[in-house]
């Protein structure tokens, strides 16, 4: 932790983005034009699960301070697909972003604000000065306290202007499906699709388009009950329970109710929905990871599959696989450490990065996993995780051929074909790919799809077909599995964030955490901070890797490994110290602030001896000891 020093006040750079503005009715807001408002910049990209969590945190603040706070999303892409303006438009609608968004495909504003990670939040006071920069999740309460402080200060100074901001909502088109996510073929031959944009489930006829019934009232929420009363929030994965298990528990389908951080059980006979796992609260580091299913928090479950006698959950929000026992009504961690990355090995030590799709091999022995942020296809067999296709967090593209050089781009779905090969919904490439585990070859089955996110097999006398969810196309499409693979132009990409030049041999790492206004560090149950450091390649670090409780650390580097990525995960716990009346709080609310960074670095003779990362940097706006224009 650092104390809050007297820092130089910095004038906020103007907002620039080659993609233009979204949700402003055609206008182009400027910071100069927003003078008098508190402005909150949210640097995000729509592939990032942590960014989606922050959108939920911001909804509360936008409502509470709607006449004084202007939220501006600055969309800064990681993947090539995210630099496409139409894709950003779709994401703004998909995730119900109700504020102005600047599309910055060239990351010009990202560089102006020296941002190092998604998500990053920047608070600008009504006079146009940066007063806080916060990376990661869990800062909602800190921003709430800071905004309240700024409102009081600038009302006294008469520099606060109340009224509407630049947000102008767009009118979405009306379609039967809106951003559908996952698909399940029911025993009757009909199809069940998670209609994420309408917060509901839809049963379709076998043609994939005729709506037979809808389950859910269409409004974001977490309410159990009948099909017209129950509410969900951006549901995704669907798993059919074995008949004997369904008869025992009283429901047939398990639903990954993603934005509710819950699993729901659905009876096909009645359409009744019940919560079977999760509390509706997001899991944070230090929380319980096993126990009674409805008493343990979950984090953005994205897909579910029946495997090994239980429901496996792709827990995208914490980069793990969990398991749910519907009969014993319990949950536990199955695989992953919560560290984000691509590391194979035993389930307890493997790393994932937003696992988002699951499928089981015909013999039930292998679980296939679409690991979206590493653009990887991975498998779980005999207690080990193995990567079949994919190179890591920063390498992606569209390349067929031998598995060890083939490339995907943020796949969200996997489907096992009758011959045992695996169809991958290669979402950001708009393609269906096929992996042959015997030949270890990747080919392309179909292209020009609109963000395919899942598929199911349908076989008839004419051949084998896939019913494919085109999520951004708002439809389910029938595609015949071709006898021959397509020929596609090769594309290879590498995430091009600038490297940080660091000194050779030794580096001081410092994570800055300023305790938010009205709070104090929460060390009642042990150290209030945590720092985890690793690197890729692993040989970059000679010493300094691993966990610890201090937010500063000296890293020793192998000078022969000139380039790599430092993986840094930091967490801080705080709790309320003073109430609105200025008196100590007897039963304080507690808060977790956390962020993961992947910092590309290069050792050089002129490199900096210290790398400073901001978990929460807060500069009091009343500090006028110095300023920078």
């Amino acid at each position: 932790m650092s104390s809050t020093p007297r820092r130089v006040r910095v004038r906020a750079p103007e907002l620039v983005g080659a993609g233009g503005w979204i949700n402003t009715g055609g206008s182009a807001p400027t910071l100069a034009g927003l003078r008098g408002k508190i402005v909150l910049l949210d640097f995000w990209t729509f592939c990032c699960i942590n960014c989606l969590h922050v959108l939920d945190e911001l909804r509360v603040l936008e409502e509470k301070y709607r006449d004084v706070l202007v939220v501006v999303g600055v969309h800064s892409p990681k993947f090539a697909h995210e630099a496409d303006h139409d894709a950003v438009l779709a994401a703004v609608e998909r995730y119900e972003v109700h504020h102005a968004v600047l599309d910055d495909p060239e990351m010009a504003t990202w560089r102006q604000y020296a941002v190092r990670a998604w998500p990053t939040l920047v608070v600008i006071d009504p006079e146009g000065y940066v007063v806080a920069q916060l990376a990661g999740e869990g800062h909602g309460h800190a921003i709430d306290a800071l905004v309240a402080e700024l409102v009081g200060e600038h009302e006294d100074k008469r520099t606060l202007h109340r009224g509407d901001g630049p947000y102008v909502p767009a009118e979405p088109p009306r379609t039967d499906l809106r951003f559908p996510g996952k698909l399940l073929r029911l025993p009757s031959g009909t199809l069940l699709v998670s209609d994420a944009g309408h917060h509901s489930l839809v049963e379709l006829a076998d043609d994939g388009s005729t709506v037979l019934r809808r389950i859910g009232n269409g409004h974001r929420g977490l309410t159990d009950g009948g099909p017209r009363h129950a509410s969900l929030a951006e549901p995704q994965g669907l798993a059919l329970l074995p008949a004997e298990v369904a008869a025992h528990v009283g429901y047939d389908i398990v639903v990954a109710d993603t934005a509710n951080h819950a699993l729901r059980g659905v009876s096909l006979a009645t359409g009744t929905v019940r919560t079977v796992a999760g509390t509706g609260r997001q899991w944070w580091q230090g929380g319980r990871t096993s126990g009674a299913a409805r008493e343990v928090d979950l984090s953005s479950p994205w897909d579910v599959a029946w495997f090994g006698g239980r429901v496996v959950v792709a827990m995208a929000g914490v980069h793990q696989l969990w398991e749910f026992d519907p009969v014993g009504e319990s949950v536990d961690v199955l695989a992953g450490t919560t560290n984000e990355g691509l590391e194979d090995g035993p389930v307890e030590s493997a790393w994932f990065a937003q696992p988002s799709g699951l499928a089981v091999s015909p013999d039930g022995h292998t679980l296939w996993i679409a690991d979206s942020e590493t653009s990887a296809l991975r498998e779980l067999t005999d207690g080990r995780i193995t990567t079949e296709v994919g190179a890591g967090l920063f390498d992606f593209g569209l390349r067929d051929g031998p598995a060890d050089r083939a490339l995907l781009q943020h796949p969200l779905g996997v489907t096992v074909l009758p011959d045992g090969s695996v169809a991958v919904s290669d979402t950001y490439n708009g393609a269906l790919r096929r992996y042959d585990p015997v030949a270890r070859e990747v080919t392309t089955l179909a292209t020009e799809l609109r963000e395919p996110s899942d598929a199911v097999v349908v076989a008839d006398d004419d051949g084998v077909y896939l019913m494919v969810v085109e999520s951004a196309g708002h439809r389910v499409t029938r595609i015949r599995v071709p006898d021959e693979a397509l020929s596609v132009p090769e594309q290879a990409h590498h995430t091009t964030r600038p490297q940080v030049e660091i000194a050779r041999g030794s580096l001081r790492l410092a994570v800055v955490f300023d305790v938010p206004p009205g709070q104090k560090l929460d060390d009642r149950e042990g150290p209030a901070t945590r720092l985890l450091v690793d690197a890729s390649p692993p040989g970059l670090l000679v010493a300094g890797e691993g966990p610890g409780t201090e937010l500063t650390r000296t890293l020793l580097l192998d000078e022969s490994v000139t380039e790599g990525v430092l993986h840094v995960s930091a967490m801080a716990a705080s709790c309320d110290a003073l109430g609105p009346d200025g008196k100590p709080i007897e039963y304080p609310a507690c808060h977790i602030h956390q962020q993961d960074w992947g910092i590309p670095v290069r050792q050089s003779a002129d490199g900096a001896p210290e790398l400073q990362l901001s978990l929460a940097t807060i500069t009091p706006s009343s500090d006028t000891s110095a300023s920078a224009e």
Side-chain angles (χ1 to χ4, degrees):
M1 187 197 76
S2 74
S3 60
T4 305
R6 295 174 69 82
R7 296 191 175 95
V8 172
R9 296 183 71 211
V10 177
R11 180 73 73 182
E14 194 49 83
L15 305 178
V16 179
W21 287 89
I22 300 169
N23 278 354
T24 63
S27 68
T30 63
L31 288 181
L34 293 173
R35 197 67 54 80
K37 298 287 190 184
I38 301 163
V39 178
L40 173 59
L41 305 182
D42 173 24
F43 289 86
W44 71 299
T45 190
F46 62 78
C47 71
C48 164
I49 193 67
N50 311 91
C51 299
L52 304 187
H53 293 164
V54 167
L55 288 176
D56 284 334
E57 294 180 37
L58 296 183
R59 288 187 179 99
V60 178
L61 296 172
E62 289 176 283
E63 176 61 27
K64 183 174 182 179
Y65 296 107
R66 58 181 177 271
D67 63 338
V68 295
L69 176 67
V70 172
V71 177
V72 175
V74 182
H75 188 269
S76 312
K78 173 186 174 182
F79 290 99
H81 177 65
E82 293 173 310
D84 181 274
H85 185 69
D86 287 341
V88 181
L89 280 170
V92 167
E93 181 196 338
R94 178 195 296 265
Y95 296 116
E96 299 179 0
V97 178
H98 293 162
H99 51 249
V101 174
L102 175 65
D103 182 11
D104 183 20
E106 297 170 359
M107 302 179 80
T109 297
W110 168 288
R111 289 191 292 271
Q112 286 282 342
Y113 282 83
V115 175
R116 294 193 187 276
W118 298 276
T120 291
L121 301 169
V122 175
V123 181
I124 301 168
D125 74 10
E127 295 178 294
Y129 290 99
V130 173
V131 294
Q133 182 165 318
L134 310 102
E137 302 180 56
H139 299 298
H141 193 271
I143 295 171
D144 191 347
L146 180 58
V147 170
E149 190 176 85
L150 290 171
V151 168
E153 176 185 338
H154 287 275
E155 278 190 326
D156 290 344
K157 294 171 66 175
R158 297 187 178 181
T159 50
L160 184 72
H161 301 158
R162 294 183 180 272
D164 293 336
Y167 169 62
V168 178
E171 183 64 32
R174 297 184 180 276
T175 52
D176 286 336
L177 301 177
R178 206 74 194 154
F179 301 107
K182 300 292 185 180
L183 190 64
L184 179 67
R185 194 175 189 206
L186 299 177
S188 63
T190 60
L191 302 167
L192 188 67
V193 61
S194 53
D195 192 8
H198 289 142
H199 308 296
S200 59
L201 310 177
V202 175
E203 186 175 357
L204 302 173
D206 60 6
D207 61 7
S209 60
T210 304
V211 175
L212 302 178
R213 64 168 166 168
R214 185 175 292 274
I215 298 172
N217 61 23
H219 301 291
R220 178 188 295 267
L222 180 58
T223 307
D224 291 346
R228 295 184 179 181
H229 177 72
S231 57
L232 303 99
E234 300 176 26
Q236 288 287 336
L238 306 164
L240 180 68
L241 295 178
E244 63 276 12
V245 176
H248 183 86
V249 299
Y251 55 90
D252 309 273
I253 306 294
V254 174
V255 181
D257 196 8
T258 305
N260 273 328
H261 310 295
L263 302 182
R264 316 295 290 279
V266 177
S267 165
L268 288 176
T270 64
T272 301
V273 178
R274 70 181 77 173
T275 302
V276 297
T279 63
R281 298 183 300 270
Q282 182 185 338
W283 184 89
W284 293 94
Q285 289 287 352
R288 294 173 57 191
T289 56
S290 63
R294 290 189 295 276
E295 298 176 6
V296 177
D297 299 338
L298 310 182
S299 184
S300 297
W302 207 278
D303 203 4
V304 283
W306 182 261
F307 176 72
R310 73 282 210 202
V311 175
V312 175
V313 184
M315 203 71 76
V318 288
H319 317 300
Q320 289 181 310
L321 303 181
W322 285 33
E323 55 186 1
F324 164 58
D325 176 4
V327 175
E329 298 184 328
S330 63
V331 293
D332 204 350
V333 174
L334 173 62
T337 64
T338 77
N339 296 328
E340 183 179 17
L342 190 72
E343 295 283 346
D344 290 345
V347 290
E348 62 272 12
S349 61
W351 292 21
F352 297 94
Q354 289 179 217
S356 301
L358 304 172
V360 181
S361 62
D363 61 6
H365 189 60
T366 297
L367 180 70
W368 294 99
I369 305 151
D371 202 27
S372 62
E373 278 294 283
T374 54
S375 299
L377 173 65
R378 309 178 74 183
E379 65 169 302
L380 166 58
T381 306
D382 295 330
R384 292 188 64 86
I385 303 298
T386 306
T387 299
E388 297 298 323
V389 182
L393 283 166
F394 304 104
D395 294 281
F396 57 92
L398 178 61
R399 180 193 286 157
D400 286 342
D404 59 0
R405 66 180 303 273
L407 293 173
L408 310 169
Q409 186 180 181
H410 198 80
L412 291 178
V414 281
T415 306
V416 178
L417 298 175
D419 64 359
S421 64
V422 181
V424 180
S425 295
D426 194 6
T427 309
Y428 286 4
N429 278 325
L432 274 181
R433 315 288 293 285
R434 177 180 177 269
Y435 171 65
D436 181 342
V438 177
R440 301 202 74 245
E441 291 274 341
V442 174
T443 54
T444 297
L445 299 176
T447 59
E448 298 184 357
L449 302 171
R450 297 194 61 191
E451 296 190 9
S453 56
D454 199 17
V456 298
V457 175
V458 176
D460 59 25
D461 294 339
D462 296 329
V464 178
Y465 293 84
L466 285 170
M467 303 299 288
V468 181
V469 178
E470 289 191 78
S471 190
H474 317 296
R475 61 181 177 250
V476 174
T477 302
R478 182 181 170 100
I479 294 177
R480 190 179 191 279
V481 176
D483 295 326
E484 296 184 3
L486 300 179
S487 176
V488 296
E490 182 176 301
Q491 302 174 45
H493 303 282
H494 184 83
T495 302
T496 55
R497 283 189 289 161
Q499 288 181 317
V500 177
E501 299 277 341
I502 60 173
R504 290 176 179 160
S506 179
L507 179 71
R508 183 178 184 271
L509 174 66
V511 175
V512 178
F513 177 70
D514 295 335
V515 181
Q519 297 181 24
K520 63 181 180 181
L521 283 176
D522 182 13
D523 55 4
R524 292 170 299 171
E525 298 183 9
T529 57
R530 187 192 75 142
L531 181 65
L532 176 68
V533 181
D534 214 312
S536 54
L540 175 63
L541 283 180
V542 175
E545 74 275 12
T549 59
E550 298 294 323
L551 293 183
T552 58
R553 187 180 301 182
T554 297
L555 309 179
L556 298 181
L557 311 169
D558 184 340
E559 294 187 42
S560 69
V561 183
T562 57
E563 297 183 352
V565 177
L566 287 178
H567 301 280
V568 181
S569 177
M571 184 205 63
S574 65
C575 60
D576 297 341
L578 301 174
D581 57 2
K583 296 181 179 179
I585 297 175
E586 185 176 1
Y587 301 106
C590 297
H591 317 280
I592 299 294
H593 316 254
Q594 65 182 41
Q595 172 64 328
D596 298 325
W597 291 270
I599 307 294
V601 297
R602 184 168 74 89
Q603 297 189 67
S604 69
D606 300 325
E610 179 177 275
L611 174 62
Q612 188 175 98
L613 303 175
S614 174
L615 180 59
T617 305
I618 301 173
T619 303
S621 65
S622 57
D623 181 0
T624 58
S625 60
S627 64
E629 293 297 327

